[in-house]
Amino acid sequence: AEAEFDRTVKFAMSVMEVIQTDSDIANDSWQTMGSTKALVRRAALGIILCMGPYNYPINETYATLIPALLMGNICIMKIPSVGGAAHLLTML
């Protein structure tokens, strides 16, 4: 369980670093593809459902939850019925 938690924290840190340093994600940007030019604006897409499996509840659930929250989405998290106690401290 400790290795799973460490892997999840590393993943979250790498996602945050990419969002902070990638100019295409942090700001609006003009992009050209062929003869088409477009202003790309990153925005929240809506409601995200994160379903946690029982075998890797922390890593698999938070690998979808963390990027969705960082991009401004609303998240609904469904914890597993078996092994769901691992999520109790994160829900306080």
Side-chain angles (χ1 to χ4, degrees), residues 17-40:
E17 183 179 329
V18 167
I19 289 174
Q20 290 173 349
T21 59
D22 191 350
S23 62
D24 289 340
I25 292 175
N27 302 316
D28 299 342
S29 64
W30 285 98
Q31 296 184 1
T32 304
M33 180 177 270
S35 62
T36 305
K37 191 171 187 178
L39 177 65
V40 177

Side-chain angles (χ1 to χ4, degrees), residues 46-83:
I47 301 172
I48 306 297
L49 173 63
C50 299
M51 298 180 69
Y54 71 92
N55 53 352
Y56 286 104
I58 294 175
N59 188 38
E60 295 298 320
T61 304
Y62 291 100
T64 57
L65 183 72
I66 291 168
L69 287 173
L70 290 173
M71 293 306 290
N73 292 290
I74 297 169
C75 296
I76 299 171
M77 187 169 86
K78 195 276 183 205
I79 61 172
S81 57
V82 176

